[in-house]
Amino acid sequence: MRARYGVPLGIAAAGAAGLVYAAGFEVRSFRLRRVTVPVLPAGMRPFRVLQVSDIHMVGGQRKKQRWLRSLAGLRPDFVINTGDNLSDPEGVPEVLDALGPLMDFPGAYVFGSNDYYGPTLRNPARYLLEKSAGRHGLNGNPPVTGVVHNPWEDLRDGFDAAGWLNLTNTRGRSSSRASPWS
């Protein structure tokens, strides 16, 4: 009898512990990682790039907003925002406000899927199948129905107004003001 219920109960306990960790700690744990990539010639001034990713902003996340604003104190030479800024259609003003001090620096951005679509409970295998079949609604494909569409255009307009370069599905060249050699 013990073996019959022990394994399922153990799996359920591990799943519950994972949910508690994700909802109680991980969601409030912001990280700054520093990595040195030795690609510049010896004696050159370091070029500091700050990558911001997976903000997943929802309304009322004041601690996260303060932390994001504080990153401007790092004085990066260039900021790259690699998407998934939103987790709430109402979050655009809060994202732009939180990133405001960083938008004083040269930068570029790309959008992630969460910038286009709000989160919904879905089977992960179904997501992968829809994406491979071209039904995710990006790049000229028809949009997926029954999903929340985030106002990514407002986010784009805010980043563009700051002079950040939109590299979503394209390439580009930043102005010389981002160069450590000018």
Side-chain angles (χ1 to χ4, degrees), residues 133-153:
R135 291 190 298 256
H136 50 291
L138 305 175
N139 304 325
N141 293 310
V144 176
T145 58
V147 297
V148 175
H149 292 272
N150 282 332
W152 62 271
E153 299 93 345

Side-chain angles (χ1 to χ4, degrees), residues 33-165:
R33 294 187 180 119
R34 295 175 189 264
V35 177
T36 300
V37 181
V39 295
L40 297 177
M44 293 296 297
R45 182 176 77 76
F47 188 73
R48 295 177 315 242
V49 176
L50 175 65
Q51 178 188 5
V52 179
S53 187
D54 296 285
I55 295 170
H56 294 281
M57 185 69 72
V58 297
Q61 292 183 311
R62 303 292 179 241
K63 183 178 176 183
K64 182 186 287 186
Q65 292 169 356
R66 284 191 303 274
W67 185 80
L68 287 166
R69 275 190 221 99
S70 78
L71 295 176
L74 298 171
R75 313 269 324 140
D77 295 304
F78 195 80
V79 179
I80 183 73
N81 181 321
T82 52
D84 283 350
N85 295 279
L86 301 172
S87 277
D88 177 0
E90 306 296 322
V92 172
E94 293 179 354
V95 169
L96 294 175
D97 181 59
L99 294 178
L102 286 174
M103 291 192 290
D104 290 339
F105 297 96
Y109 66 95
V110 296
F111 286 133
S113 61
N114 285 87
D115 295 318
Y116 296 109
Y117 303 113
T120 58
L121 292 175
R122 300 184 63 184
N123 178 335
R126 183 173 173 203
Y127 172 81
L128 294 172
L129 292 171
E130 285 176 355
K131 190 168 186 172
S132 67
R135 291 190 298 256
H136 50 291
L138 305 175
N139 304 325
N141 293 310
V144 176
T145 58
V147 297
V148 175
H149 292 272
N150 282 332
W152 62 271
E153 299 93 345
D154 297 338
L155 198 58
R156 177 204 57 210
D157 293 347
F159 292 159
D160 288 352
W164 280 10
L165 183 62

